[in-house]
Amino acid sequence: MVMVKDGPNPLLAATAGQSWDHHPTPAEKLFDTTAAGDSFNAGFLAALMTGADPADALRQGATLARHVIDARGALAAQYAAAPAPYPVTS
């Protein structure tokens, strides 16, 4: 699987036979982008490992990253102890 994150453009993921995209909701506040990519990767991989399809995994990753950049520091407190999957919003 290949995945492309390209700033404000849609997220793209593809395998040899399929592709998916996701148009993430922009963050309400942009305080700190520390760990945004790591958070996206963690949400995406956790979703895949728990049975989500790639389209849902893209949404999971984008949602977690959006919550992380809405707060200062590399960890969004309201999700620090939350089990995956994280709440998904479009």
Side-chain angles (χ1 to χ4, degrees), residues 10-80:
L11 302 164
L12 304 171
T15 62
Q18 265 183 297
S19 65
W20 304 267
D21 67 352
H22 174 61
H23 301 263
T25 303
E28 292 177 25
K29 310 173 276 254
L30 179 57
F31 282 119
D32 189 347
T33 59
T34 302
D38 291 339
S39 298
F40 174 86
N41 294 338
F44 178 81
L45 291 173
L48 279 182
M49 292 175 66
T50 56
D53 65 39
D56 287 335
L58 286 173
R59 285 189 287 277
Q60 290 276 4
T63 297
L64 181 56
R66 186 176 66 244
H67 287 295
V68 167
I69 66 175
D70 276 350
R72 295 197 189 285
L75 187 64
Q78 67 267 34
Y79 293 100

